[in-house]
Amino acid sequence: MAERPAEIQAANVKLLEELCQPGDFLEGKIRGALVRETFKATATCPSCRKIQEERDYVLKSDLWNVVCSGKCEFHEPEACYGLGVVVHALCNLQNLMSEEWYNQAAEHIFKCLSASEKIPDTQEDKLARLAEVIAVVGLAVGVRAFYRSLPEGPLEEPPLPTAAEGKPRFTSAAEVFNRLGPREGHGWGAGLNLEDVKPGLMVKGAKFIGGEFSKRKFTGLSPMNKWAPALSAGSLFLRWATVVYSPIQNGYESHSFMFKKAPGRALNRVGLEDVAAGYTTAVGAASDAMATWPLPKR
């Protein structure tokens, strides 16, 4: 990192600017509020900290009600357009989440957004907006954690940009599918492990051809699969990760990348994963002891 401070700083500044612009389904003012709330709430909210301290007594199926009744301190007007409870859970309580929480979050986001704009009342549209909220908050957490992990001196945390005016790119999930259109030989979705496919599985009355939808075509373990539902935010992540983490383009997404150093990088993928594993273990131990959480504010 020491040899590339300007490149890394520029990538972070650009990402923050783009996160505060209109997205696929969210206005710029909403995304900007999500980013600001994330920066101010991550690892600092007293209510979230109390929930973590008492996590052994929190039922994951009841997390939504626990957060809503926890009286979190919100920093954006109108509790971050009503989305503050979602932001705080995403940035502070990931380890307590369950499928129930995501379903309740999708309904809550729809309720908040539909109060001021007309949104199709479909499950696809609810989940699409949830995916974008998760992507914006997740990227903001990543940028904030990056700067908080640095020693004093190398890089200064950039100021949060003003939210950009403008409407989202799409009005509905159906519009996305119609605009993308079918392309022969292309697909969008997670892959399947062939060994997990049940014999005799049928698709639209025809025999299922498992190989066409296997990991040979879609890499189910690829981190980019997690970002696919977020559309343009996934593209932002890819560009940012290419600078800050490691190149995922130009052949470095292949298996050889596991043992091959990318240009200008000191570690290959195996080395990076070793570092990540060590970090996760250390943070996990520290979290159990509640000794270093929250981190000192920069």
Side-chain angles (χ1 to χ4, degrees), residues 5-250:
E7 183 184 7
I8 292 174
Q9 184 77 343
N12 288 330
V13 170
K14 182 176 179 60
L15 177 63
L16 287 176
E17 290 176 349
E18 292 172 327
L19 288 179
C20 293
Q21 294 176 1
D24 297 309
F25 300 100
L26 301 178
E27 295 182 31
K29 68 175 185 178
I30 297 290
R31 286 166 58 107
L34 294 175
V35 172
R36 289 192 298 270
E37 187 68 35
T38 298
F39 264 68
K40 294 174 182 176
T42 303
T44 62
C45 173
S47 176
C48 290
R49 178 172 185 170
K50 182 174 176 60
I51 293 171
Q52 281 288 5
E53 290 173 343
E54 300 175 351
R55 59 187 178 275
D56 291 342
Y57 305 100
V58 176
L59 293 175
K60 290 189 176 183
S61 59
D62 195 41
L63 179 63
W64 181 264
N65 295 326
V66 171
V67 176
C68 288
S69 61
K71 298 182 180 179
C72 290
E73 296 180 359
F74 301 115
H75 305 83
E76 290 296 300
E78 301 175 20
C80 194
Y81 295 97
L83 303 178
V85 289
V86 179
V87 175
H88 282 237
L90 287 171
C91 65
N92 289 325
L93 304 169
Q94 282 266 328
N95 58 313
L96 300 178
M97 288 182 176
S98 65
E99 183 178 353
E100 288 91 340
W101 183 90
Y102 286 98
N103 290 330
Q104 290 166 311
E107 292 293 337
H108 180 78
I109 292 171
F110 173 79
K111 180 180 177 181
C112 292
L113 297 180
S114 60
S116 58
E117 60 177 306
K118 185 174 177 58
I119 299 174
D121 188 2
T122 70
Q123 186 69 356
E124 291 80 9
D125 281 284
K126 293 175 182 179
L127 293 177
R129 284 159 177 79
L130 171 64
E132 186 168 342
V133 170
I134 292 173
V136 171
V137 172
L139 285 169
V141 168
V143 174
R144 181 181 180 276
F146 172 78
Y147 284 99
R148 283 169 62 91
S149 68
L150 295 177
E152 294 288 342
L155 299 176
E156 291 297 324
E157 183 177 303
L160 294 178
T162 303
E165 297 292 330
K167 294 294 182 182
R169 295 177 179 84
F170 306 106
T171 58
S172 68
E175 182 185 353
V176 175
F177 300 128
N178 292 334
R179 190 177 298 188
L180 289 177
R183 292 180 62 191
E184 186 175 352
H186 291 72
W188 181 35
L192 299 172
N193 289 316
L194 289 180
E195 56 270 21
D196 294 334
V197 177
K198 295 180 179 178
L201 179 64
M202 308 293 283
V203 176
K204 292 186 177 179
K207 187 175 181 180
F208 178 73
I209 304 175
E212 291 301 310
F213 298 92
S214 72
K215 289 197 296 182
R216 290 195 291 270
K217 294 291 181 73
F218 302 106
T219 306
L221 300 180
S222 166
M224 282 310 298
N225 261 18
K226 313 300 186 298
W227 290 91
L231 298 174
S232 61
S235 178
L236 301 182
F237 167 75
L238 178 60
R239 285 207 309 270
W240 178 62
T242 297
V243 176
V244 179
Y245 179 57
S246 56
I248 315 175
Q249 300 164 320
N250 302 322

